[in-house]
Amino acid sequence: MESRKRDMELLSNSMAAYAHIRANPESFGLYFVLGVCFGLVLTLCLLVLRLSCQPPARPPPRHRDLSEEEDEEDEDEEEDE
């Protein structure tokens, strides 16, 4: 019996909310836009926090100059011939 009462409460609350939205579409639009803006601002704040709390990246290890390696390979090929 308790579950039937809860179901009826949910149905009547849903119908009341629908009737209120139907009567005041401007307020519904305003609340919807406010919710979207709040979500975007919250997402932006969380991204800024995540980026600012990351440890600094290590610089990549230095590699030898590629032109020097190519010159050495050319010299090796000439010696082999």
Side-chain angles (χ1 to χ4, degrees):
M1 198 66 164
E2 183 70 29
S3 66
R4 183 178 170 102
K5 184 178 177 184
R6 267 190 267 166
D7 290 342
M8 292 304 290
E9 276 182 24
L10 179 64
L11 180 62
S12 89
N13 287 342
S14 300
M15 289 175 62
Y18 178 74
H20 179 72
I21 290 170
R22 253 331 243 180
N24 304 309
E26 299 89 9
S27 65
F28 173 72
L30 177 66
Y31 291 139
F32 178 77
V33 170
L34 283 174
V36 170
C37 290
F38 178 74
L40 290 173
V41 168
L42 181 65
T43 303
L44 179 65
C45 291
L46 291 174
L47 282 173
V48 167
L49 283 174
R50 181 178 176 209
L51 292 175
S52 65
C53 293
Q54 284 182 345
R58 290 185 182 176
R62 295 186 180 189
H63 294 287
R64 293 187 340 180
D65 190 15
L66 293 178
S67 61
E68 292 176 5
E69 291 178 6
E70 291 175 1
D71 292 339
E72 290 175 4
E73 289 176 6
D74 291 340
E75 289 174 5
D76 291 339
E77 289 176 5
E78 290 174 3
E79 289 174 5
D80 291 340
E81 291 175 0

